[in-house]
Amino acid sequence: MGKNKSIIIGSDHAAFELKEKIKTYLFNKGYIVEDAGTKNEASVNYVDYGKKVAKAVSNGEFSKGILLCGTGLGMSMTANRFVNIRAALCSDVFSVKMSRLHNDSNILVLGGRLVGDILAYELVQTWLDTGFEGGRHLERIQSIDA
Ligand code: RB5
């Protein structure tokens, strides 16, 4: 199984349940899922888990990651501090699609208190199935870290 079938996922306590559900969904679709934690619903700092996942994607260990917290905001703010990270906080299919087509998002961020499990699966699937358009968008994303 290639690197593109591997994905790293992390959440805080507020989205632990949704993380577990997404893990099962991905396993069933043949993905190898690395769980960066958290491991239960005990209160934690989302930053610790956001950093783990963002680091692993930033350094190329994984090409894609998924992060979840209550709103997705803290995870998004944390992940986007890292070089090479384009983390997209989305709760609709159009934004998810565009985040891949135009922004080549490499981390999908979801708010566990905002999206239900069925919508989350659709967002994840759309994100995984959509490629980067490249062209004029390549130069644009390259200039983010320049
Ligand atoms: C935890 O209560 C909450 O603050 C966290 O999950 C997240 O929403 C932060 O942005």
Side-chain angles (χ1 to χ4, degrees), residues 16 54 64 69 108 114-116:
F16 170 74
K64 282 197 167 82
C69 61
L108 175 65
L114 290 172
V115 298

Side-chain angles (χ1 to χ4, degrees), residues 12-14 46 69-74 113:
D12 71 354
H13 55 287
Y46 58 85
C69 61
T71 57
L73 289 165
R113 291 174 175 157

Side-chain angles (χ1 to χ4, degrees), residues 47-126:
V47 177
D48 298 333
Y49 302 91
K51 282 182 175 176
K52 274 192 201 173
V53 170
K55 258 182 208 165
V57 176
S58 178
N59 68 23
E61 203 184 327
F62 289 85
S63 54
K64 282 197 167 82
I66 297 176
L67 279 170
L68 307 100
C69 61
T71 57
L73 289 165
M75 287 299 196
S76 165
M77 290 172 188
T78 302
N80 278 315
R81 291 288 185 97
F82 286 74
V83 170
N84 293 327
I85 293 302
R86 293 173 302 282
L89 170 57
C90 300
S91 50
D92 68 277
V93 171
F94 178 71
S95 298
V96 165
K97 236 183 228 174
M98 296 313 289
S99 86
R100 291 288 310 127
L101 287 170
H102 285 191
N103 313 109
D104 197 18
S105 61
N106 48 15
I107 294 185
L108 175 65
V109 188
L110 301 174
R113 291 174 175 157
L114 290 172
V115 298
D117 50 358
I118 305 299
L119 175 58
Y121 302 149
E122 194 177 344
L123 297 172
V124 167
Q125 194 62 61
T126 303

